[in-house]
Amino acid sequence: MRFAAGVDGGGTRTTVECRTMEGAVLCQREFGPFNLNSVGEARFTALLEEIASFLREEGTCEALCIGAAGVSNARVRALTAQVMDGLCPWRLVGDHEIALHGALSGRPGIALIAGTGSICCGKNDRGEFVRTGGWGHLIDDGGSGYALGRDVLSSVVRQWDGRGEETALTRLVLEYLKVDTAQELIAYVYGGDKSRVAALAPLVGRAAEGGDRTALSIYEKNGAELGELVLATARRLHMETGEVALLGGLLTGDPHLRRVLEDDLAAHAPGLRCVAPMQDAAAGAAMLALAAKREQA
């Protein structure tokens, strides 16, 4: 059977979707993490070979689109070429591109993604593509899980110093981490990667439910930063109306943050409408592979 395939390469798992040349879904299969920096070249190459073997078993792959973070890394491209060049025409794109294509089923619009990090991208009816944000937690990522967790920790130490007001977040943080002292808190924050900070993001919602002013201000700040990503993307695409797909664990799982974002957009860009994603990123990758094949015909 002739088909096209899309790969959604994630940090914890990789999803491959195969579609007929008419666009019908044939199958999905999951594999291990698609992250060269984390797994090393040997395991990364082994993953690619697993995917290639699976695609050969399914029939004749006519086109392949691989979407993942870090695809600008020259080694990612070189290792992919070693495995995929003999299989079929293939392309590498950013994970935000396949997320956008899947979320809106290829239609023009905007995708806002907020998980541990944050990024926004969009495509207008002229086919112009724009990316905004996504510069990483050290210099950007406003509205992300990391940003909320960092603001939680900041509010705790500011209360301890007498620079900030008392907040329920202090008690929640100490209970969640099972620590009692500033030294233990510092050891937690600086003893691991950014996921440790992002893990504290849900505490903002718990404090906000009780009316905590600091928690509510954290939501206002980060919701506005997400709104800025969408507004900047829309301006650059000259879009006054359209759909904004909300993706990522933070936006799908935190109704407080989503409400602040929606209110912000309603005030500043009433023509933009927030929607749930229609399809996932693997579907977006498969559809992009089909589109590339049709362009070649």
Side-chain angles (χ1 to χ4, degrees):
M1 174 177 287
R2 296 168 59 247
F3 64 92
V7 176
D8 174 20
T12 56
R13 69 177 181 273
T14 297
T15 304
V16 180
E17 178 167 301
C18 300
R19 294 196 173 206
T20 68
M21 303 312 292
E22 293 72 38
V25 177
L26 285 172
C27 61
Q28 270 198 1
R29 180 76 62 85
E30 288 193 353
F31 297 87
F34 195 99
N35 189 317
L36 175 60
N37 292 332
S38 297
V39 304
E41 291 196 1
R43 287 181 60 191
F44 185 74
T45 300
L47 169 68
L48 292 170
E49 290 172 345
E50 275 188 80
I51 294 171
S53 177
F54 163 68
L55 295 177
R56 289 189 181 96
E57 291 171 1
E58 292 300 310
T60 303
C61 184
E62 297 282 347
L64 173 65
C65 177
I66 301 172
V71 294
S72 59
N73 184 330
R75 286 303 293 162
V76 170
R77 185 167 296 277
L79 293 170
T80 302
Q82 288 177 16
V83 176
M84 300 301 178
D85 273 356
L87 177 69
C88 66
W90 58 274
R91 59 186 296 215
L92 279 173
V93 301
D95 53 355
H96 54 286
E97 293 185 54
I98 61 173
L100 168 66
H101 206 79
L104 297 176
S105 290
R107 297 200 307 264
I110 294 172
L112 175 65
I113 308 169
T116 300
S118 61
I119 191 172
C120 187
C121 61
K123 180 181 70 174
N124 60 23
D125 54 10
R126 295 182 296 279
E128 297 168 331
F129 179 85
V130 161
R131 174 194 128 168
T132 308
W135 299 105
H137 70 289
L138 292 179
I139 58 176
D140 195 31
D141 277 359
S144 66
Y146 178 86
L148 264 71
R150 180 190 58 211
D151 288 347
V152 166
L153 291 165
S154 177
S155 72
V156 171
V157 297
R158 288 178 66 83
Q159 176 185 330
W160 283 346
D161 281 349
R163 293 181 289 147
E165 63 184 6
E166 290 191 9
T167 170
L169 289 167
T170 300
R171 175 182 56 80
L172 291 172
V173 167
L174 298 181
E175 289 177 352
Y176 177 81
L177 298 180
K178 296 180 173 57
V179 302
D180 298 308
T181 67
Q183 289 75 19
E184 290 175 315
L185 181 64
I186 294 299
Y188 171 84
V189 172
Y190 294 102
D193 61 19
K194 63 182 179 180
S195 65
R196 286 194 171 197
V197 175
L200 301 176
L203 301 183
V204 185
R206 291 174 58 185
E209 287 173 0
D212 185 83
R213 292 193 306 176
T214 299
L216 293 171
S217 69
I218 289 174
Y219 273 134
E220 290 296 328
K221 170 191 171 187
N222 284 279
E225 292 207 42
L226 291 175
E228 286 177 0
L229 289 175
V230 175
L231 295 173
T233 302
R235 282 195 302 271
R236 293 170 63 193
L237 291 171
H238 306 287
M239 290 178 59
E240 294 185 358
T241 61
E243 295 176 322
V244 180
L246 304 182
L247 298 92
L250 204 58
L251 285 173
T252 58
D254 191 327
H256 298 277
L257 183 64
R258 188 168 62 247
R259 190 179 311 117
V260 173
L261 168 66
E262 291 173 343
D263 290 347
D264 186 82
L265 292 179
H268 295 98
L272 299 178
R273 181 169 61 92
C274 294
V275 298
M278 299 178 65
Q279 301 183 70
D280 63 17
M287 288 188 288
L288 283 171
L290 279 171
K293 179 64 178 178
R294 288 165 185 158
E295 287 174 5
Q296 295 169 1

